Amino acid sequence: MAKLLMIQGTSSNCGKSLIVTALCRITKNRGIKVAPFKAQNMSLQSFITEDGGEIGLAQAIQAEAAGVVPNVHMNPVLLKPSGQQGIQIVVHGKIYKTLNSMDFYSEKKKLWENVTDSLNYLLKEHDFLIIEGAGSPAEINLLEKDIVNMAVAEYLKAPVILVGDIDRGGVFASLYGTVKLLEKYDSLFKGFIINKFRGHVDILSPGIKKLEELINKPCLGVVPYLDETGISDEDGVSMRLINFFAQKVNAPVKIVVLRLRYISNFNDFEPLRFEPDTELMYSLKKEDLLSADIIIIPGSKKTFEDLKLLRELKIDQTLRELAKNGVEIIGICGGFQMLGEKLIDPYMVESSLREFDGIGLLPVETLFYPEKITTQVEGCLCSEPSIKITGYEIHKGITYGHLGLFKITRTSMKQTLFDGIVCGNVWGTYIHGIFESDSLRRWLINRHRVKKGLNPIDYSFSWKKLKESFIDTLANTIEKNLDINRVWEIAGL
């Protein structure tokens, strides 16, 4: 039987995902076959597995930290907010239903069966399972509908470590309140971690000692606030990252990603922000667009709604003007669809509108279908075949036109085809993750260096190696600041 450990938090964004990522790497380094698990994840940051299944990005990163291949059992239920349409439910990597929040809870029995199926599979395949909770387990109005927090812990009889975020304030009250509201599960709580601390740990000692007495649980460590982990945030574009982008002002090439309301998979652009000669920022401000060398329209969960937003802000007009002036404009997935001439939705997949004019910078039209294309891809840039790419597709809709920017193979579908289109200084593609290709990143940036009279740079860094170093650094920091031996003792290792 696999050993178990569950990491829960007093709130969303308290650091559960990062701590699980670190523990996966620490465990891997001990030679133990470990895997991550999160029963239900709500996120617009997703990843496509080798067999074409869609899971939360956080679980894919955790699997990488654990040294195992991500699969759909690591996140059997993925929830993707879809605006007024409700919540799109992805079960074992495939779309199950789209429901409003009230109807969603009526699906508990069916979803719980999928959760336990995945747990039973992973427990047979691995020696150690590190489980992540979601939000707070102490949402007492929803306890009977829970399939991700205490329901999982109780089903497995898994020891739980509770994480509190001191940066947002009230950490002692939130830890105390969570444990006391869940007294029926008291035997499962084995300790707590204080995360995101700025300052000298000695200041906390009296409070920690008092809390340990009050809840009869040990403090297992105080983790410092990490300004930069190099690991993409799970939801939204955090203010921390926005501020980081704004600080890098001396780089010769400025890249602006449009900060869409329903932006998805913004992790596509993480490699660009670490390039030494780029300034990367998210913005919808006209002044930022006017000073940009490259503007990227990212993926969107609600393409029609975000295109409507760009029209209301007159950003579509600005983009057309900038394209005439030689600014490079790129569309990724939903952004690619927006750059076309028309978006046609006969099945009302995206909205109640059956047709919508695009920005009109690419000679293509997109027809939406209910079926979602999800697959990993590999290929090359058609104009320079030596520039190889890998990535993944995750979209509803097929775009028609003279495609030929990339030649790709859809690995899970064993299908070779052309993707994307380029028209002067405007191009679009369905492929997420292309900027993880070191050669493609340099190809993109170097063209603007040359345009500014600067010499091109042949190579700056390996994104794959840099990601590994980020995970190692995170793991070292967590290990240094936790009583790791006591953690292993709690897990029965």
Side-chain angles (χ1 to χ4, degrees), residues 15 137 146 152 201-202 271-272 276 293 359 374 385 387 417 442 462 486:
D146 173 41
V152 174
V201 178
D202 288 349
L272 292 170
D293 299 296
I359 296 171
T374 57
I387 297 179
L417 68 159
R442 289 318 315 173
S462 162
R486 201 164 186 182

Side-chain angles (χ1 to χ4, degrees), residues 407-410 413-418:
K407 184 177 181 180
I408 63 168
T409 298
R410 289 174 169 168
M413 304 164 71
K414 309 299 181 187
Q415 180 184 24
T416 299
L417 68 159
F418 291 101

Side-chain angles (χ1 to χ4, degrees), residues 57-158:
L57 175 67
Q59 281 62 64
I61 293 173
Q62 290 162 359
E64 186 174 353
V68 295
V69 177
N71 68 62
V72 297
H73 293 292
M74 295 173 182
N75 176 211
V77 181
L78 174 63
L79 308 181
K80 305 191 76 173
S82 300
Q84 293 182 349
Q85 287 182 310
I87 301 171
Q88 183 184 98
I89 306 172
V90 178
V91 176
H92 284 152
K94 301 299 178 185
I95 293 178
Y96 172 59
K97 289 181 179 179
T98 297
L99 299 170
N100 63 43
S101 57
M102 294 304 295
D103 290 339
F104 165 72
Y105 292 113
S106 67
E107 296 289 326
K108 176 189 171 180
K109 182 178 179 181
K110 172 67 175 175
L111 297 178
W112 178 247
E113 289 173 357
N114 287 281
V115 168
T116 56
D117 286 347
S118 288
L119 277 170
N120 294 335
Y121 171 84
L122 292 173
L123 290 171
K124 292 176 184 176
E125 295 293 318
H126 300 274
D127 299 325
F128 185 32
L129 204 58
I130 304 181
I131 306 153
E132 180 183 342
S136 164
E139 304 293 348
I140 53 177
N141 55 315
L142 299 175
L143 279 180
E144 292 184 0
K145 301 176 175 68
D146 173 41
I147 64 168
V148 62
N149 287 310
M150 299 315 301
V152 174
E154 188 173 41
Y155 175 78
L156 295 172
K157 297 296 184 283

Side-chain angles (χ1 to χ4, degrees), residues 140-404:
I140 53 177
N141 55 315
L142 299 175
L143 279 180
E144 292 184 0
K145 301 176 175 68
D146 173 41
I147 64 168
V148 62
N149 287 310
M150 299 315 301
V152 174
E154 188 173 41
Y155 175 78
L156 295 172
K157 297 296 184 283
V160 176
I161 294 175
L162 193 60
V163 180
D165 176 3
I166 196 171
D167 190 57
R168 67 175 64 198
V171 70
F172 295 116
S174 61
L175 288 165
Y176 176 84
T178 300
V179 172
K180 290 302 178 181
L181 283 171
L182 298 170
E183 281 188 309
K184 64 179 287 190
Y185 304 107
D186 184 75
S187 63
L188 294 176
F189 287 107
K190 303 299 182 182
F192 64 91
I193 296 169
I194 293 177
N195 193 25
K196 302 184 185 181
F197 179 63
R198 308 171 193 252
H200 201 284
V201 178
D202 288 349
I203 297 173
L204 289 181
S205 295
I208 289 173
K209 183 178 179 181
K210 182 65 175 177
L211 182 61
E212 287 178 324
E213 293 172 355
L214 287 169
I215 63 175
N216 195 29
K217 314 291 177 190
C219 178
L220 300 169
V222 177
V223 178
Y225 188 95
L226 303 175
D227 288 307
E228 177 59 77
T229 64
I231 298 171
S232 183
D233 289 9
E234 187 169 45
D235 293 299
V237 182
S238 70
M239 289 305 299
R240 177 180 64 82
L241 291 183
I242 293 170
N243 292 337
F244 176 88
F245 299 145
Q247 291 168 6
K248 197 177 175 187
V249 295
N250 296 319
V253 180
K254 180 177 179 179
I255 304 172
V256 176
V257 179
L258 298 188
R259 194 179 180 202
L260 304 178
R261 183 175 294 156
Y262 297 100
I263 188 171
S264 64
N265 286 70
F266 60 86
N267 58 296
D268 282 343
F269 316 110
E270 287 289 277
L272 292 170
R273 76 182 180 97
F274 289 100
E275 286 288 352
D277 49 353
T278 64
E279 175 194 354
L280 178 70
M281 65 186 304
Y282 289 81
S283 179
L284 290 174
K285 295 179 181 178
K286 187 172 182 178
E287 57 266 33
D288 291 327
L289 302 182
L290 294 177
S291 62
D293 299 296
I294 302 168
I295 297 172
I296 302 176
I297 310 178
S300 168
K301 187 65 185 71
K302 299 285 290 179
T303 304
F304 275 63
E305 290 296 319
D306 276 328
L307 182 52
K308 182 181 176 183
L309 173 68
L310 298 185
R311 190 154 292 154
E312 290 171 352
L313 298 175
K314 298 184 178 180
I315 289 175
D316 59 330
Q317 296 178 19
T318 301
L319 293 176
R320 286 190 284 267
E321 293 168 6
L322 291 173
K324 291 178 183 177
N325 295 332
V327 174
E328 185 162 7
I329 298 175
I330 302 168
I332 305 295
C333 197
F336 174 30
Q337 295 169 341
M338 293 183 209
L339 286 173
E341 295 171 349
K342 281 193 180 298
L343 294 84
I344 304 165
D345 191 6
Y347 304 99
M348 292 187 287
V349 171
E350 280 277 332
S351 74
S352 59
L353 297 172
R354 295 182 182 271
E355 188 172 303
F356 209 78
D357 288 335
I359 296 171
L361 289 175
L362 291 176
V364 295
E365 292 186 353
T366 297
L367 184 62
F368 288 93
Y369 295 96
E371 295 78 18
K372 184 186 286 189
I373 296 172
T374 57
T375 179
Q376 292 187 5
V377 305
E378 56 185 27
C380 67
L381 185 65
C382 289
S383 61
E384 295 189 43
S386 62
I387 297 179
K388 308 296 183 183
I389 62 160
T390 59
Y392 57 95
E393 292 181 66
I394 172 173
H395 57 94
K396 292 181 177 179
I398 298 176
T399 297
Y400 297 93
H402 295 291
L403 306 182

